Amino acid sequence: MTPLKLTSWLRSRLFPLVLSTAVVVAVSAPCAFYLRQRLDRVEALRADASRVADVLRAEIEARPRLWRYGTGKLSERLSEEGLGRVSVRVLDGDGFAVPLEAGPLPPNAWALWGRAEVSTAGRPAATVWAAADQRPLLGTAFHLFLAFALLAALLGTVLYVMPVRAMAGAERRIELLLSRLALALQQEERRRIARELHDGVGQAITAARLELLAASARAALPPGSAETIGRRLDEALDEVRRSTAMLAPPALAELGLARALERHCTSFGGSAGLNVQCDVEAELPMMDADVEGACYRIVQEALSNAVRHGHATCASVSLKRAGTGAVALDISDDGSGLKDPVGRGQGLEGIRERAKLLGGEVLIESPPGAGVRVRVTLPAQPGEVRA
Ligand SMILES: Nc1ncnc2c1ncn2[C@@H]1O[C@H](COP(=O)(O)OP(=O)(O)OP(=O)(O)O)[C@@H](O)[C@H]1O
Ligand SMILES: [Mg+2]
């Protein structure tokens, strides 16, 4: 059966979605924090620059030409106003920097700036820039990012793993149901073919046999030919019966698995010259009809192989409970064992296929000089075990 691949389909669609959600969660809050704080700090720097500008305006008005030189007094006044620690850059009206003793300026790449203009008599006299280092702010934003990245990773794992797990479980169940449906359809088809063979070809041969009897009673046939034709018709009828029995074993429905297996071991062993010991545990778990059918078919195939390929003289069949809700089927023979390379046929492949469809396992062993051992474990109620 072609795999449904629903889980891999979901994975391929869910992964980019979850990844982009995780990235948004990890990045958005730290970015918003950083931008908000940056705006607040630039606003505060503008206020500082404007307070420095007020002090500077008074100084310019007091010493219109000389304020640029000897700025010690200006620095003193700034300290008095509580602005001594503000990092300030002052440019005069011509754009030249005015030396001022103030807090150290941060490196340009990491600085935030707030600006204020100083005008006297309606003309621009100087520009004041107040600066602050934004590295502490960036550090806080980075720590926030780490915390949110961790949160995003956890969230992403939950968002990804939970649906994928649920889908994998559902997919297993769907595959199991489909394979059981295929098995049921296959068996129904086999039963139909068996009915057709029995009711069509079988009845025709039986009618021909009766015609033959009538003809020979009327002495309408040459001597001897009635016996020959009769033998051929009997052989054909046997062949039809064998085929219908293979397609839909009546013994299974009539006798139940344990007795059907015992009967098959006895009848097949008797006709093929194989001494078969059949051991079916009395307390087997309640088994699904498909599982019983599979057990019967597997035993048929393994015993037939033992005779056809291994030329075995003895074989044993055992069916036992294996753990909770499972059965173990074990068929071994004393034949020549598997040859290397193993021949290609439908039988062993069919055993593996049946077990797989029911969620079971197969182990085929052939230790040197010890024939072949086929071990199959099957869930008694496949739907329940795999659910
Ligand atoms: N019990 C056995 N003893 C020895 N050889 C075996 C035994 N069972 C299987 N083999 C080997 O494994 C091969 C594959 O077996 P398998 O049942 O798949 O095919 P087959 O019996 O040859 O054909 P088919 O079952 O389709 O009629 C066989 O050809 C045979 O060589
Ligand atoms: Mg075979």
Side-chain angles (χ1 to χ4, degrees), residues 300-302 304-306 308-309 345-348 351:
Q300 274 184 324
E301 176 59 28
S304 149
N305 278 351
R308 281 172 60 205
H309 307 299
Q346 302 293 312
L348 297 184
I351 292 178

Side-chain angles (χ1 to χ4, degrees), residues 55-71:
V55 175
L56 193 55
R57 188 176 301 109
E59 184 69 12
I60 292 172
E61 281 167 0
R63 301 193 299 146
R65 285 182 177 280
L66 295 177
W67 68 272
R68 296 181 189 80
Y69 316 104
T71 50

Side-chain angles (χ1 to χ4, degrees), residues 301-302 304-311 333 335-339 341-350 371-372 374:
E301 176 59 28
S304 149
N305 278 351
V307 174
R308 281 172 60 205
H309 307 299
H311 308 291
D333 66 62
S336 57
L338 293 178
K339 289 194 191 72
V342 177
R344 290 171 68 88
Q346 302 293 312
L348 297 184
E349 202 43 52
V372 173
V374 178

Side-chain angles (χ1 to χ4, degrees), residues 17-33 141 144-156 159:
L17 204 70
V18 169
L19 188 68
S20 43
T21 308
V23 169
V24 169
V25 169
V27 165
S28 54
C31 280
F33 167 81
L144 203 62
F145 165 73
L146 288 183
F148 271 82
L150 192 67
L151 186 74
L154 288 175
L155 192 73
L159 284 180

Side-chain angles (χ1 to χ4, degrees), residues 10 37 60 63 75 86 95 132 215 280 384:
L10 180 69
Q37 291 289 317
I60 292 172
R63 301 193 299 146
S75 303
V86 178
V280 180
E384 287 175 20

Side-chain angles (χ1 to χ4, degrees), residues 197-279:
L197 267 180
H198 179 270
D199 298 350
V201 185
Q203 296 305 334
I205 295 173
T206 308
R209 189 81 178 81
L210 293 174
E211 289 276 339
L212 182 68
L213 278 178
S216 66
R218 291 195 307 270
L221 290 170
S225 65
E227 286 75 19
T228 314
I229 298 171
R231 215 173 32 254
R232 295 267 156 82
L233 286 175
D234 286 345
E235 280 167 13
L237 200 56
D238 281 351
E239 188 57 39
V240 168
R241 286 204 182 110
R242 256 198 305 280
S243 301
T244 52
M246 286 295 285
L247 284 166
L252 198 55
E254 283 165 21
L255 308 173
L257 180 63
R259 290 197 51 213
L261 279 181
E262 278 157 12
R263 184 197 269 192
H264 179 74
C265 290
T266 313
S267 67
F268 179 81
S271 62
L274 182 71
N275 181 9
V276 188
Q277 187 182 334
C278 183
D279 177 14

